[in-house]
Amino acid sequence: MPGEEAEVASGTPGEGVPATGAGTPSAPVRTPVHRLTVLYDAQCSLCVHVRHWLRGQRQLVPLELVPAASEEARRRFPGLDHAATLEEVTVVADRGQVYRGTAAWIVCLWALAEHRPKAHWLSTPAGRPFARAAVLAAAKYRSATAAPCSPGGTCAVPAAEAGG
């Protein structure tokens, strides 16, 4: 519920790794999560569609949506590998946990009122293959529909839209 303290145990819904690059704690650590920042590829039509969909959902944990590798992303998270954030969806929690790929998708669902139960199931051994398959399918679609970048291999990132 918005305003309440939400908690994520390490490994549920995804395995968070501190932005400093330190490893995941050996025992589950409950860390309150009050806000999540989703770094998405603003040049990817599927990513932009998902961004709009996330914005339209009732959020138990507020999601801030920031273009990956943008000036804003670099300012907020100077320790991240920003080139990697363009390759796979990345979510950063307000306490420094970093979720990538499948774990990032699951934590996004976990933040949503209607989809939190599904996120819990997707984080289980039974559900994880389904989450991974969805991420792989999205990646395949993305690569098939991606606009070409400049000859130097760099893609321009548009300025962040007002309202995140």
Side-chain angles (χ1 to χ4, degrees), residues 39-115:
L39 302 174
Y40 70 97
D41 183 351
Q43 297 297 314
C44 162
S45 62
L46 176 63
C47 305
V48 171
H49 176 78
V50 170
R51 172 193 180 271
H52 289 297
W53 179 80
L54 287 170
R55 288 184 69 184
Q57 301 299 305
R58 189 165 68 88
Q59 300 172 2
L60 297 175
V61 176
L63 298 173
E64 293 183 65
L65 297 118
V66 175
S70 65
E71 287 184 33
E72 178 68 11
R74 291 175 192 281
R75 183 188 64 76
R76 288 185 186 201
F77 311 110
L80 279 182
D81 176 354
H82 290 279
T85 67
L86 285 169
E87 296 300 318
E88 71 180 339
V89 64
T90 303
V91 176
V92 182
D94 57 345
R95 302 282 193 219
Q97 307 95 315
V98 175
Y99 303 89
R100 290 186 170 89
T102 303
W105 287 102
I106 293 171
V107 80
C108 284
L109 291 175
W110 175 84
L112 304 176
E114 300 270 332
H115 300 284

Side-chain angles (χ1 to χ4, degrees), residues 1-14 16 28-36 60-62 93-95 97 99 106-107 109-112 116 119-120 123:
M1 292 96 231
E4 287 186 18
E5 184 173 285
E7 292 187 357
V8 175
S10 178
T12 306
V29 176
R30 294 186 89 54
T31 305
V33 176
H34 301 285
R35 179 169 305 280
L36 294 165
L60 297 175
V61 176
D94 57 345
R95 302 282 193 219
Q97 307 95 315
Y99 303 89
I106 293 171
V107 80
L109 291 175
W110 175 84
L112 304 176
R116 184 167 279 186
H120 283 290
S123 69

